[in-house]
Amino acid sequence: LYFMQSDGGLCSASHFTGYRAVLSGPAGGVIAYSRTTPAKSGVIGFDMGGTSTDVSRHAGGAAARLEHVFETEIAGTVIRAPQLEVMTVAADGGSRLAFRAGIFHVGPESVGA
């Protein structure tokens, strides 16, 4: 049994830790399209979920290097772990728009769509 990690790699169940899998879903998408994109074509990944949208890019072709970062912030929480570069936006068709203290805020609350 293997688990996908945020850095695009796999690990065995005995070595699995949750903080290294926070962005494992979007990372799986990056791995999939990086392996299926023609060598000279770049691609932008767009993964829209219930309350967020994940955006990533790849230069094209399986030989191109994957872009990694080692720290990111998600919903105000800093995650320090190797991960593929994926930008998460708290916006989707089901995200709730609120006006608080003179500023518009989108998500992460959902309207239940």
Side-chain angles (χ1 to χ4, degrees):
L1 177 65
Y2 290 93
F3 291 93
M4 174 66 74
Q5 298 183 111
S6 300
D7 66 359
L10 298 174
C11 75
S12 65
S14 62
H15 291 97
F16 178 78
T17 57
Y19 83 97
R20 293 196 62 179
V22 171
L23 291 173
S24 60
V30 173
I31 296 299
Y33 72 66
S34 73
R35 301 297 186 258
T36 59
T37 301
K40 295 184 179 181
S41 298
V43 64
I44 295 174
F46 188 83
D47 180 6
M48 184 177 281
T51 60
S52 67
T53 299
D54 299 311
V55 181
S56 54
R57 64 173 291 282
H58 187 264
R65 295 186 61 181
L66 296 169
E67 296 179 26
H68 287 83
V69 295
F70 297 93
E71 182 177 295
T72 192
E73 184 175 329
I74 301 172
T77 301
V78 175
I79 307 289
R80 290 186 181 97
Q83 53 204 276
L84 294 176
E85 188 167 25
V86 176
M87 301 302 295
T88 300
V89 181
D92 176 13
S95 292
R96 180 174 290 164
L97 176 66
F99 189 73
R100 294 187 293 260
I103 300 173
F104 282 107
H105 297 268
V106 179
E109 298 89 3
S110 175
V111 295

